Amino acid sequence: MISLIMLSLSTLLITGILYGYFEAQLKKQLQTEADYIGVAVLSEGIAYFDNIDIAERITLVAPDGTVLADTAADPSELENHIDRKEIQLALKNGSGTSVRYSDTFTQRTVYYAVKLENGNILRVSARQYTLVTILLKLVQPIAVIILFAVLASAILSARISKNIIDDEEREKRASMRSEFTSNVSHELKTPLTSISGFAEMLMQGDADRETVVDFSRSIYDESQRMISLVQDILRISELDEKMRFEREDVDLYELAEEITECLRPEADKMQVQLRLIGEHIHIDGVRKILYEIIYNLCDNAIKYNRPNGLAEVGIYEKENGILLTVRDTGIGIAKEEQERVFERFYRVDKSHSGVIGGTGLGLSIVKHGAIYHHASIHIESNKGEGTTITVCFTKA
Ligand code: ADP
């Protein structure tokens, strides 16, 4: 749109400037011609008009305005020219110009008149298209040029903006990577500091057996935490690098069954009833990533539950796609936190999560895994009532 407006304005302006320039040129040309013809008329008299053959109209006018000779009409039929502006000016100043428009305003005539030595006035005139006529005549080629220019600028600007977006994307990725690195370092530092502290106390060698067991257990727990953290980091990095994974036909129900069986001891420990419902539905996907998605959702549904609570996995086929839902009757997530829980290392209750043993990467892995499968995620949760997270895979 901007290109279109600018081009149209430029065209108008340039045509206007060129028109003024050509008019000045024409006047100069008429003046030169009048000077030459004047010399010829002075030496040959009216006879000069008999065999003249030039494009411009030449008129010879007596000082009283009577037309003595004219290259375009019979002088006897022409009215007295004394009131013409250029004649008046020539009589008064020796030369003069004027411009008159045709009745239709499509053309205009530029006149130049000069007073000869014998007192007669010689007038030379030329016709010219008006600016409006020129623009109208040029509408078609100008429109084609403008269209071409607008198309070219649209393509160019699309390319430029793509580059800008690419640069921004690159910067964003770089800053996300550095933020991720700093988060990873921070997350790893905490268990390492504990391990180092416990080991230092053990190193002193004066702890009784019970303390040794206690400290060793703490070291073991912290190491386990670090192992799961590193595993999660590796998983998320794989997804981040957009690695190519082998796709295969996966029975979602069967996969969920495998995961619920694996998590049953944990559910029992937490006194949570773990249930699988739905149908055997096959999708074309990456088994390893689908496993991570279901595992992390189920793991959360158990971890963030309450005694005698329920964690239920459902696999259904609906009109709008294949749905994987993980529902729990746990602690729920406040509305304002629901977007943020998918961010890396985000935990609603940091201190509580530490006890539970979360890394803050689970839902981030779920999100990236869903994106990898072109699936969408929906969360429905009420604090204190429970959470339902649905992953919707497209059927194609
Ligand atoms: P984490 O390893 O800490 O579980 P996640 O990325 O899986 O990390 O989850 C991020 C945070 O979202 C958790 O720390 C927890 O506070 C909250 N959350 C996740 N799932 C649930 C759920 N089913 N019910 C309540 N809170 C949840």
Side-chain angles (χ1 to χ4, degrees):
M1 204 56 204
I2 290 170
S3 305
L4 193 69
I5 295 168
M6 291 314 289
L7 277 169
S8 308
L9 281 178
S10 308
T11 310
L12 269 177
L13 208 68
I14 292 172
T15 317
I17 291 170
L18 283 178
Y19 192 76
Y21 174 76
F22 286 129
E23 188 184 321
Q25 282 285 101
L26 181 66
K27 281 182 179 164
K28 222 182 253 173
Q29 187 189 327
L30 289 179
Q31 186 180 353
T32 316
E33 280 178 9
D35 288 345
Y36 287 133
I37 296 165
V39 176
V41 170
L42 275 179
S43 67
E44 288 183 37
I46 291 182
Y48 174 78
F49 282 81
D50 297 340
N51 42 25
I52 195 166
D53 180 25
I54 61 169
E56 283 80 16
R57 183 178 179 183
I58 304 164
T59 316
L60 189 65
V61 183
D64 64 355
T66 314
V67 178
L68 301 173
D70 190 274
T71 52
D74 183 352
S76 60
E77 286 172 11
L78 293 171
E79 59 184 17
N80 190 292
H81 274 27
I82 194 69
D83 57 346
R84 305 288 157 93
K85 191 180 164 198
E86 68 282 2
I87 304 285
Q88 293 267 337
L89 286 169
L91 280 170
K92 209 166 124 199
N93 308 327
S95 71
T97 57
S98 77
V99 176
R100 281 193 284 281
Y101 287 85
S102 67
D103 294 341
T104 52
F105 279 95
T106 53
Q107 284 198 331
R108 48 185 238 156
T109 311
V110 180
Y111 297 94
Y112 177 77
V114 62
K115 191 171 163 188
L116 301 179
E117 277 171 21
N118 60 8
N120 287 340
I121 308 289
L122 177 75
R123 189 184 73 176
V124 187
S125 64
R127 284 178 162 237
Q128 193 185 37
Y129 282 122
T130 57
L131 186 58
V132 178
T133 317
I134 290 176
L135 283 174
L136 283 175
K137 277 185 188 294
L138 290 178
V139 155
Q140 216 175 359
I142 287 177
V144 172
I145 292 171
I146 288 182
L147 192 75
F148 178 76
V150 167
L151 270 178
S153 37
I155 293 169
L156 270 178
S157 45
R159 284 232 171 138
I160 293 167
S161 51
K162 189 181 172 302
N163 282 348
I164 294 171
I165 291 167
D166 284 353
D167 285 351
E168 278 174 0
E169 182 73 11
R170 222 169 288 135
E171 267 173 38
K172 210 170 104 192
R173 279 185 164 270
S175 106
M176 268 170 70
R177 213 169 291 143
S178 92
E179 192 188 322
F180 185 55
T181 314
S182 106
N183 276 334
V184 166
S185 317
H186 179 79
E187 294 290 332
L188 286 175
K189 208 175 144 214
T190 319
L192 265 179
T193 312
S194 307
I195 290 172
S196 164
F198 289 127
E200 196 183 1
M201 284 190 268
L202 286 177
M203 227 165 41
Q204 287 165 1
D206 51 9
D208 56 39
R209 211 185 121 69
E210 203 180 319
T211 318
V212 169
V213 171
D214 222 31
F215 282 7
S216 305
R217 185 178 299 115
S218 298
I219 290 175
Y220 176 79
D221 288 348
E222 290 297 339
S223 318
Q224 285 302 317
R225 217 172 101 69
M226 273 184 71
I227 290 169
S228 58
L229 190 65
V230 170
Q231 274 170 348
D232 276 0
I233 290 166
L234 286 176
R235 278 179 200 124
I236 209 144
S237 301
E238 276 179 359
L239 286 168
D240 247 5
E241 295 304 319
K242 298 208 164 47
M243 271 174 59
R244 290 227 150 265
F245 296 98
E246 196 74 25
R247 278 184 178 263
E248 59 188 295
D249 179 79
V250 182
D251 181 337
L252 277 183
Y253 189 91
E254 223 173 79
L255 188 63
E257 206 164 27
E258 191 184 314
I259 294 163
T260 45
E261 282 323 305
C262 174
L263 284 170
R264 198 160 301 283
E266 193 190 322
D268 291 343
K269 203 168 85 192
M270 299 285 292
Q271 298 170 31
V272 170
Q273 188 199 345
L274 183 58
R275 203 158 68 186
L276 170 65
I277 53 169
E279 313 144 38
H280 282 269
I281 293 163
H282 293 248
I283 71 164
D284 178 50
V286 182
R287 192 182 167 84
K288 188 172 137 184
I289 301 178
L290 292 169
Y291 186 98
E292 293 297 335
I293 294 176
I294 306 176
Y295 186 95
N296 280 304
L297 290 176
C298 290
D299 189 38
N300 283 352
I302 298 167
K303 270 193 312 197
Y304 303 106
N305 219 310
R306 56 183 81 248
N308 302 319
L310 172 74
E312 184 185 79
V313 189
I315 314 282
Y316 312 95
E317 184 160 1
K318 286 269 159 67
E319 244 173 50
N320 53 344
I322 294 158
L323 304 185
L324 156 73
T325 59
V326 179
R327 179 171 76 92
D328 68 63
T329 54
I331 59 173
I333 305 165
K335 285 271 172 288
E336 60 276 13
E337 310 269 11
Q338 288 176 10
E339 281 272 316
R340 302 212 60 191
V341 289
F342 292 96
E343 288 173 17
R344 291 169 186 190
F345 296 111
Y346 189 83
R347 275 166 271 175
V348 175
D349 181 354
K350 286 227 171 212
S351 54
H352 190 214
S353 290
V355 181
I356 290 176
T359 60
L361 287 172
L363 285 181
S364 187
I365 293 172
V366 171
K367 184 176 111 181
H368 279 77
I371 291 172
Y372 192 93
H373 284 90
H374 306 291
S376 55
I377 300 183
H378 308 275
I379 180 166
E380 219 185 293
S381 185
N382 284 314
K383 211 159 166 53
E385 288 176 19
T387 306
T388 303
I389 296 182
T390 307
V391 183
C392 180
F393 299 90
T394 51
K395 280 186 191 170

